[in-house]
Amino acid sequence: MSTVGFIGLGNMGGPMAANLVKAGFTVKGYDVVDQAQRKAGDAGVEIVTSPAEAADGADFLVTMLPKGQHVRDVLLGEQSPLSKLASGAIMIDCSSIDVPTSRDLNARGIELGIQVLDAPVSGGVSGATAGTLTFMVGGEESTVQKAQPVLDAMGSRVVVTGGPGAGQVAKACNQMVFGSSLAALAEAFTIAQRLGLEPQKLFDVLRTSSGDCWALHNFTPLPGLVENSAADNDYAPKFAAALLAKDLGLALTAANSAGVHLAVGKTALAMFDDMAKESGHLDASAVIKSIPTS
Ligand code: NAD
């Protein structure tokens, strides 16, 4: 079985690396946080002490880092681990990041003879743990085929979205739709409460009407409506508001670069940005607490 270097063993990367181990890959993992390393080590990941060591001789290098700046720092600096990879190796960046950084990474790969895929994911921590993530993949079809066993070990669906950066474009659009629908749900439940409509009644109507959406079932903003919702658990994060604010910022950047003027997406970004200032650590569904009323 091939060797996979894995950088970024956090909420998502940790279980993804663990699933690669379960599938029989040798996984050499690195994170700057000790606790993340320990947890991955317990799952069978061989812990190394630098990104270069994770990449050394590996057939694949997977990264799951928070933001574009982390990807730039780790992969595009002078000490880039890309130059340590085995010849013909494939770099798969699963982080949700900006399109220009993703394309720069691809260009650096071409310089070094490394094939690069941008492969951001959907499915959250539960999908990462269950190995049921959806990958939105930008890059060459032939590279995706070679990377398929690695992607299959971590997810259940691969959508090839186009050339370099296309995965990040798809992810940014998806997050804009998710964030906007979650913001609209928070407003709808607030209106209902203020006008004396039981949350359960609104929920029952929405779930069988044209207002139904994924956010209603997975990020229900009020407690007592859906089993195991973050709202039922004091808004402990399933997906933190700060990460959603970051993703909406990426959507705005993508829109600006394409000359598209956002109204809905920009408003959703402002709502989650405001919320993130004080409670970015809470689940994104807690945005309902910051709907202004008079
Ligand atoms: P996280 O903060 O839990 O994990 C990121 C990890 O990267 C951390 O363990 C951190 O220590 C590590 N890291 C940071 N800088 C590093 C460096 N220089 N070298 C090595 N490790 C470094 O975040 P997460 O929830 O795992 O999210 C990772 C990415 O996946 C983000 O881009 C996020 O937007 C995206 N994502 C998250 C979810 C989710 O539900 N959490 C869902 C889909 C996509």
Side-chain angles (χ1 to χ4, degrees), residues 7-13 30-33 36 51 64-67 70 74 94-96 121-122 124-125 171 238-239 243 246-247:
I7 304 174
L9 302 166
N11 289 328
M12 296 291 290
Y30 174 71
D31 196 289
V32 285
V33 172
M64 195 48 162
L65 294 162
K67 296 184 179 178
H70 300 91
V74 173
C94 297
S95 329
S96 305
V121 304
S122 177
V125 176
K171 176 72 184 175
K238 286 190 168 179
F239 184 56
L243 281 180
K246 177 205 76 166
D247 288 350

Side-chain angles (χ1 to χ4, degrees), residues 177-187 213 215 219-221 244 272 284-285 287:
V177 173
F178 166 56
S180 304
S181 51
L182 182 52
L185 282 175
E187 290 186 339
C213 59
F219 286 82
T220 322
L244 182 54
F272 286 100
S285 59
V287 70

Side-chain angles (χ1 to χ4, degrees), residues 40 87 91 145 185 226:
S87 81
M91 156 84 232
Q145 273 170 21
L185 282 175
V226 166

Side-chain angles (χ1 to χ4, degrees), residues 3-282:
T3 299
V4 182
F6 205 114
I7 304 174
L9 302 166
N11 289 328
M12 296 291 290
M16 289 164 73
N19 280 331
L20 287 168
V21 173
K22 276 189 212 153
F25 290 96
T26 299
V27 184
K28 294 192 290 175
Y30 174 71
D31 196 289
V32 285
V33 172
D34 283 348
Q35 200 195 354
Q37 299 212 126
R38 266 198 303 278
K39 217 170 155 192
D42 289 346
V45 174
E46 184 190 321
I47 298 303
V48 295
T49 56
S50 68
E53 215 182 318
D56 199 7
D59 306 292
F60 297 91
L61 181 64
V62 180
T63 41
M64 195 48 162
L65 294 162
K67 296 184 179 178
Q69 192 56 50
H70 300 91
V71 171
R72 279 191 183 278
D73 291 349
V74 173
L75 296 172
L76 296 177
E78 280 180 15
Q79 307 288 321
S80 174
L82 292 179
S83 58
K84 299 280 181 186
L85 287 167
S87 81
I90 298 178
M91 156 84 232
I92 308 171
D93 179 35
C94 297
S95 329
S96 305
I97 63 166
D98 58 289
V99 176
T101 298
S102 192
R103 292 196 168 144
D104 286 352
L105 179 58
N106 190 273
R108 177 65 68 86
I110 290 170
E111 276 168 33
L112 295 169
I114 303 295
Q115 303 158 81
V116 177
L117 298 175
D118 51 295
V121 304
S122 177
V125 176
S126 56
T129 307
T132 55
L133 293 170
T134 292
F135 290 91
M136 302 155 225
V137 187
E140 299 295 328
E141 286 267 3
S142 57
T143 309
V144 181
Q145 273 170 21
K146 287 186 226 156
Q148 194 77 40
V150 172
L151 300 174
D152 285 347
M154 302 187 286
S156 54
R157 193 158 174 251
V158 173
V159 182
V160 184
T161 46
Q168 298 296 351
V169 176
K171 176 72 184 175
C173 292
N174 180 72
Q175 293 306 89
M176 190 185 71
V177 173
F178 166 56
S180 304
S181 51
L182 182 52
L185 282 175
E187 290 186 339
F189 276 100
T190 305
I191 298 170
Q193 278 185 315
R194 303 268 295 186
L195 294 179
L197 179 63
E198 287 292 321
Q200 184 68 56
K201 298 288 179 202
L202 179 59
F203 181 84
D204 289 344
V205 169
L206 287 174
R207 74 191 175 93
T208 52
S209 305
S210 45
D212 194 20
C213 59
W214 188 86
L216 177 70
H217 300 273
N218 295 280
F219 286 82
T220 322
L222 289 174
L225 299 172
V226 166
E227 222 173 295
N228 290 327
S229 70
D232 278 331
N233 194 18
D234 287 334
Y235 298 98
K238 286 190 168 179
F239 184 56
L243 281 180
L244 182 54
K246 177 205 76 166
D247 288 350
L248 288 164
L250 295 178
L252 182 63
T253 307
N256 286 342
S257 73
V260 179
H261 303 280
L262 298 185
V264 176
K266 212 171 184 174
T267 304
L269 170 62
M271 288 169 75
F272 286 100
D273 254 353
D274 272 357
M275 177 189 166
K277 281 180 198 140
E278 303 239 311
S279 7
H281 59 290
L282 293 182

